[in-house]
Amino acid sequence: MDPLLAFAGLGVGIVVGLTGMGGGALMTPILVLFFGVPPLAAVSSDLAASAVMKPFGGWVHARRGSVNWGLVRWLCLGSVPSAFLGVLLMRAVGDGDRVQDVVRVALGVALLLAVAGLVIKAYRKDSAGAGDTPAPIRVRPVPTVLLGALGGLVVGMTSVGSGSLIIVILLALYPALRPRDLVGTDLVQAIPLVFSAALGHALFGDLKLDLAAAVLIGSVPGVLIGARLSSRAPAGVVRAALIIVLIASSLKLFEVPTALVLVLVGVATAAAVAEGLRRRSRVPSAPQDRDTRDETNAKGAESASGVSPR
């Protein structure tokens, strides 16, 4: 068993627990490009590992109340049967590579649109300072089921999208969801979705249990760490992590070289850190100055009354 494979699983598990996405879009390319795993075996093994890994992260979010169970039920109603149908569809289509290419590019575009939506939401004046306040969500059953079915179909056909595509769907339908609720809801709904797709690939594909076990050794503790960070982190931190992982996933779907992806992700990370520091230094400055003035005035009053301040 390759320890580097377990270490890669740890990193991907942290990303999945923190953002609810990135498993298929990151782990499958890592298995193929860095470990020389055949694509079919990589897809099947990654799905099997995700079916075991995601419940751990979902459990952490469920305990901390960052899961919208109404959304989970309606999404699963559409996604679970369509995920299995997607596997059958890929077996029935003659030119599967062409179909996968079209879906891959479309998903990459959808992820970039999600990045734009998150950035716009972060800079909206009415959302400033309200990222950690829950807003009432009215579940719309019919569009939620239909879009869940679309997400399940894509996952069954490509193994990518159980997190990333559903994130896009939830952002489009329910923009008032807090980032941590977005992550928790996405993680929990992905459990039966990924299990259904993994079952289909196990029946028709080339599942390697030893490969899936090696990934799980690192990914299970990784997703627990990431989920704990996500359920406790401020909304701005989770949103920045979502944006960075969305950018990385979309670039990989567009088959951008890994070195360039790392450079662009590094630039995005640096920009997010700089923006966070700028906002932090700007917002608390006024209260701190008032506290300092109050303390100075209090000490001056003590001196004037003859009491020596210590």
Side-chain angles (χ1 to χ4, degrees):
M1 186 176 293
D2 193 345
L4 289 178
L5 190 57
F7 185 74
L10 175 68
V12 173
I14 292 174
V15 171
V16 171
L18 181 62
T19 67
M21 54 174 292
L26 295 178
M27 195 70 229
T28 302
I30 287 174
L31 291 174
V32 174
L33 297 175
F34 293 100
F35 295 95
V37 178
L40 182 58
V43 168
S44 302
S45 302
D46 175 54
L47 280 170
S50 295
V52 178
M53 170 182 62
K54 286 181 182 289
F56 288 92
W59 173 71
V60 173
H61 279 277
R63 284 187 61 195
R64 300 192 180 279
S66 53
V67 177
N68 188 307
W69 293 102
L71 288 177
V72 169
R73 285 191 293 271
W74 288 109
L75 282 170
C76 290
L77 188 63
S79 65
V80 172
S82 65
F84 196 85
L85 177 63
V87 178
L88 297 178
L89 209 64
M90 284 304 301
R91 298 293 165 179
V93 174
D95 190 4
D97 291 340
R98 185 183 306 169
V99 175
Q100 291 215 39
D101 286 341
V102 172
V103 174
R104 175 179 52 79
V105 173
L107 183 55
V109 173
L111 296 188
L112 290 180
L113 291 175
V115 170
L118 281 170
V119 172
I120 292 172
K121 183 179 179 181
Y123 279 92
R124 272 182 9 194
K125 290 183 179 180
D126 58 352
S127 66
D132 290 319
T133 303
I137 301 296
R138 185 176 65 86
V139 178
R140 291 177 282 173
V142 174
T144 304
V145 170
L146 291 177
L147 290 174
L150 173 63
L153 194 66
V154 172
V155 172
M157 295 174 67
T158 66
S159 85
V160 176
S162 64
S164 52
L165 183 58
I166 301 299
I167 285 282
V168 176
I169 292 170
L170 290 175
L171 276 173
L173 281 178
Y174 305 101
L177 270 178
R178 293 182 302 173
R180 69 184 62 169
D181 294 340
L182 190 68
V183 172
T185 302
D186 175 66
L187 265 176
V188 172
Q189 68 80 31
I191 296 170
L193 165 59
V194 170
F195 181 81
S196 177
L199 180 61
H201 279 282
L203 292 175
F204 299 102
D206 183 20
L207 175 61
K208 293 186 178 293
L209 291 176
D210 55 342
L211 183 63
V215 173
L216 279 172
I217 288 176
S219 61
V220 168
V223 77
L224 286 171
I225 294 170
R228 285 184 176 274
L229 292 175
S230 175
S231 61
R232 295 183 177 184
V237 174
V238 180
R239 186 182 296 116
L242 276 170
I243 291 173
I244 291 170
V245 177
L246 280 166
I247 291 173
S249 300
S250 62
L251 292 177
K252 290 306 299 179
L253 288 169
F254 288 131
E255 297 183 341
V256 175
T258 303
L260 182 56
V261 172
L262 293 176
V263 171
L264 294 176
V265 167
V267 171
T269 304
V273 171
E275 176 65 14
L277 292 175
R278 184 183 69 84
R279 289 191 175 194
R280 186 174 181 180
S281 63
R282 184 181 61 185
V283 174
S285 58
Q288 280 183 348
D289 290 342
R290 277 199 305 271
D291 292 343
T292 304
R293 286 197 303 269
D294 292 342
E295 184 179 352
T296 303
N297 292 337
K299 288 183 178 180
E302 288 177 352
S303 299
S305 62
V307 179
S308 176
R310 303 188 63 85

